[in-house]
């Protein structure tokens, strides 16, 4: 499977003409009865060799981590990070393999973070004594600062990886690390912050959603790597928004009544409106568990105790299948309600290139 950016790369290299690339895109859109922009393509596999290389790379990384920790704990993460970068020089930069590139990026970022955690662990006694000397029985600021440092260094490492390899998921990984810095500082320096931690998570999710929309707006027809970056940002932002919002509402804190169930379903419909407008499905997937629980509660309240989950699965599954089947038609109506804002969203309908 070839991505839009691969086709553009072939045009730039002179392997195919721009007219041939246009004809290929239009043929695929016609054969699938859907424009490419509506399919949310992202490269995960270019062939079974991606899986083969990923398994082999994972084995090498596990071996390096094991060797490193047998010497000293921080070395495990450092070796994983260094090995991941070295492997990426060939499998990402030269071979441009999708799944191994994602695995190696995550291993690199995780290795950088693990190396820092290892340093803290082996110096734990000294750090604990220092924190107790300066902060008494309230070491939260020290813990928050250390966590923020880990997040900041990890985010910087992700930025360096992006500059070198430009793997689309890297921007989302860096953004999540930045969110980790923010949350660490909030929890570390604001007393009892854990009691309202979902509020800053919600804010962070909305900000990340806005960042994803900026990347999307720069490639409305989703032909380049920028659309792939936006995909991963949406995938990271959606659970922050959905889980934080529903947790703030206390959906799982106690059995919900009819009013709360209706509110959850109404919010899911609102998420569907947003998903259709921006042509991204991540919000619908991230909030699915909550609407399933709400619908189950409604059926259970109506007396269908034994078959509540069966009815819930049938109703929600059927609704999502219908939405998928009529995604383009429904989206055309939704975007039509947005006026001038539609000019900043992915185009509606089959794209005919000229």
């Amino acid at each position: 499977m070839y991505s839009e950016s691969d086709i553009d790369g072939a045009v730039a290299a002179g392997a195919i003409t721009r007219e041939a690339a246009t004809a290929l895109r239009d043929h695929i859109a016609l054969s699938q009865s859907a424009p490419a922009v509506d399919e949310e393509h992202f490269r995960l596999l270019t062939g079974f060799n991606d899986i083969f290389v990923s398994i082999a790379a994972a084995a090498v990384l596990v071996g390096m981590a094991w060797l490193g920790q047998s010497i000293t704990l921080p070395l495990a993460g450092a070796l994983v990070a260094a090995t991941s970068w070295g492997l990426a020089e060939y499998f990402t930069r030269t071979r441009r393999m999708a799944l191994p590139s994602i695995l190696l990026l995550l291993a690199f970022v995780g290795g950088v973070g693990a190396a820092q955690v290892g340093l803290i662990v082996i110096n734990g006694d000294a750090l604990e004594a220092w924190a107790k000397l300066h902060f008494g029985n309230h070491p939260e600021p020290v813990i928050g600062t250390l966590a923020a440092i880990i997040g900041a260094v990890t985010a910087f490492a992700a930025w360096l990886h992006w500059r070198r390899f430009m793997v689309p998921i890297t921007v989302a990984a860096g953004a999540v690390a930045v969110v980790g810095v923010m949350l660490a500082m909030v929890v570390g320096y604001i007393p009892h912050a854990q009691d309202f931690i979902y509020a800053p998570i919600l804010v962070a999710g909305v900000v990340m959603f806005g960042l994803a929309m900026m990347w999307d707006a720069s490639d409305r027809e989703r032909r380049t790597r920028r659309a792939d970056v936006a995909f991963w940002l949406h995938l990271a932002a959606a659970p922050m928004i959905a889980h934080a919002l529903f947790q703030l509402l206390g959906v799982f804190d106690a059995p919900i009544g009819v009013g709360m169930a209706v509110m959850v379903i109404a919010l899911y419909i609102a998420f569907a409106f947003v998903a259709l407008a921006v042509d991204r499905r991540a919000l619908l997937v991230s909030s699915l568990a909550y609407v399933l629980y709400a619908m189950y509660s409604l059926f259970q309240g109506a007396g269908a105790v034994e078959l509540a989950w069966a009815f819930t699965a049938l109703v929600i599954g059927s609704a999502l299948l219908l939405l998928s089947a009529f995604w383009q038609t429904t989206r055309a109506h939704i975007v039509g309600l947005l006026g001038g804002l539609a000019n900043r969203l992915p185009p509606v309908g089959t794209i005919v290139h000229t």
Side-chain angles (χ1 to χ4, degrees):
M1 176 181 175
Y2 301 101
S3 68
E4 291 285 333
S5 57
D6 287 332
I7 296 175
D8 285 339
V11 172
I16 60 174
T17 65
R18 188 169 299 278
E19 291 74 18
T22 298
L24 176 61
R25 288 188 175 103
D26 291 338
H27 169 71
I28 292 173
L30 184 62
S31 64
Q32 294 181 349
S33 299
V37 70
D38 276 342
E39 294 302 303
E40 280 197 274
H41 288 303
F42 72 99
R43 280 209 316 173
L44 185 61
L45 293 174
T46 54
F48 189 78
N49 194 36
D50 280 49
I51 300 175
F52 182 78
V53 170
S54 296
I55 294 172
V60 169
L61 293 172
V62 169
M64 296 301 287
W66 201 309
L67 287 174
Q69 66 87 29
S70 67
I71 301 172
T72 180
L73 193 57
L75 188 59
L79 286 178
V80 167
T83 304
S84 299
W85 186 287
L87 292 173
E89 288 289 346
Y90 178 70
F91 292 107
T92 299
R93 190 171 174 83
T94 302
R95 293 288 303 277
R96 300 177 62 83
M97 300 181 74
L99 183 60
S101 296
I102 294 173
L103 171 67
L104 293 173
L105 173 275
L106 295 177
F108 172 74
V109 172
V112 171
Q116 298 173 81
V117 172
L119 282 172
I120 293 173
V121 170
I122 65 173
N123 293 286
D125 293 339
L127 286 171
E128 184 179 359
W130 184 88
K132 191 168 185 178
L133 177 64
H134 290 83
F135 295 93
N137 294 322
H138 300 282
E140 291 84 0
V142 176
I143 297 173
T145 301
L146 289 173
I149 291 173
I150 292 173
V153 172
T154 303
F156 179 71
W159 178 79
L160 290 176
H161 197 281
W162 167 255
R163 296 290 295 177
R164 179 65 175 172
F165 303 109
M166 301 190 78
V167 179
I169 194 177
T170 310
V171 178
V176 170
V178 171
V179 171
V181 172
M182 179 196 72
L183 295 178
M185 297 301 288
V186 169
V187 172
Y189 287 91
I190 299 178
H192 309 296
Q194 62 271 18
D195 295 336
F196 57 89
I197 194 63
Y198 289 111
I201 291 176
L202 177 60
V203 172
V206 172
V207 171
M208 195 176 297
F209 178 84
L211 180 62
M213 289 305 302
M214 289 176 58
W215 283 86
D216 257 340
S218 66
D219 181 18
R220 294 178 60 231
E221 293 190 359
R222 297 181 180 170
R223 296 186 186 180
T224 68
R225 183 186 286 112
R226 301 183 71 84
D228 294 336
V229 172
F231 169 83
W232 291 108
L233 283 169
H234 278 291
L235 207 62
M240 293 184 190
I241 295 172
H243 298 326
L245 182 57
F246 287 119
Q247 289 293 334
L248 286 171
L249 291 174
V251 174
F252 288 147
D253 290 347
I256 63 175
V258 174
M260 178 64 77
V262 171
M263 182 184 298
V264 170
I265 294 171
L267 281 172
Y268 194 72
I269 293 173
F271 284 162
F273 185 94
V274 174
L276 284 161
V278 304
D279 205 12
R280 294 291 186 185
R281 297 159 177 81
L283 267 176
L284 292 177
V285 175
S286 294
S287 53
L288 185 58
Y290 298 96
V291 75
L292 285 170
Y293 181 58
M295 188 67 71
Y296 165 78
S297 298
L298 287 178
F299 281 123
Q300 194 175 47
V305 177
E306 294 183 359
L307 297 176
W309 279 119
F311 288 141
T312 299
L314 285 172
V315 171
I316 298 299
S318 299
L320 292 179
L321 286 174
L322 284 172
L323 180 61
S324 177
F326 295 99
W327 184 270
Q328 298 166 61
T329 304
T330 309
R331 184 167 183 269
H333 291 297
I334 295 296
V335 174
L337 300 174
L338 300 177
L341 185 60
N343 296 325
R344 305 188 64 180
L345 298 172
V348 177
T350 302
I351 302 168
V352 179
H353 303 286
T354 57

